[in-house]
Each structure stands twice: as structure tokens, then as C-alpha cells.
Amino acid sequence: RSAGIHAICAFQSFNQLEGTCGYSHKQAENLLDMFGTKVILSVSDSNIAKQLSDSLGTYSARTTSCLLYTSDA
């Protein structure tokens, strides 16, 4: 970052890293751990979903909502 260089790494699954790139499952996990920002759109494998959920941690948030009604008259 100090050199002003930015990179985006995107992959669809651990299997893609393992099959296409030749990484072991552990190497794929280590690679994911190195990223400071993660964007996860969808996960179909429940084991991978659990791993990703655990890696993201937990947090609490307080929210409020407001329901507005409109009249059709």
C-alpha cells in the first residue's frame, strides 16, 4: 500500500483455488486469511459457509425500523 499499488483477488470457491491454481485446502485458507477486506456474495457448501462465518467473527448491532403506511384513497 505504501507504494500505491492495489490488487483485487477474486475466486469462486476453495475448489477453484485447489483445482485450477494447485493450492492445498490449507493453503487456500491461508490465502483467504491474508486479505483485509472480504466480500462474500453466496456460499452453497455448508462447511465452507461455517468456515467463513467463523473467520468473520461476531458483532452486535442495534437497529431501529419505521413502518410507514400510505393511503390508496
Side-chain angles (χ1 to χ4, degrees), residues 23-65:
Y23 292 115
S24 70
H25 190 77
K26 188 64 179 170
Q27 289 171 321
E29 288 178 337
N30 289 339
L31 181 64
L32 181 63
D33 288 341
M34 287 190 258
F35 298 121
T37 302
K38 299 175 182 91
V39 177
I40 302 165
L41 301 177
S42 176
V43 180
S44 58
D45 182 310
S46 61
N47 293 325
I48 299 297
K50 175 77 171 123
Q51 282 181 305
L52 291 171
S53 177
D54 291 345
S55 75
L56 294 173
T58 60
Y59 71 94
S60 298
R62 181 177 300 249
T63 63
T64 59
S65 62

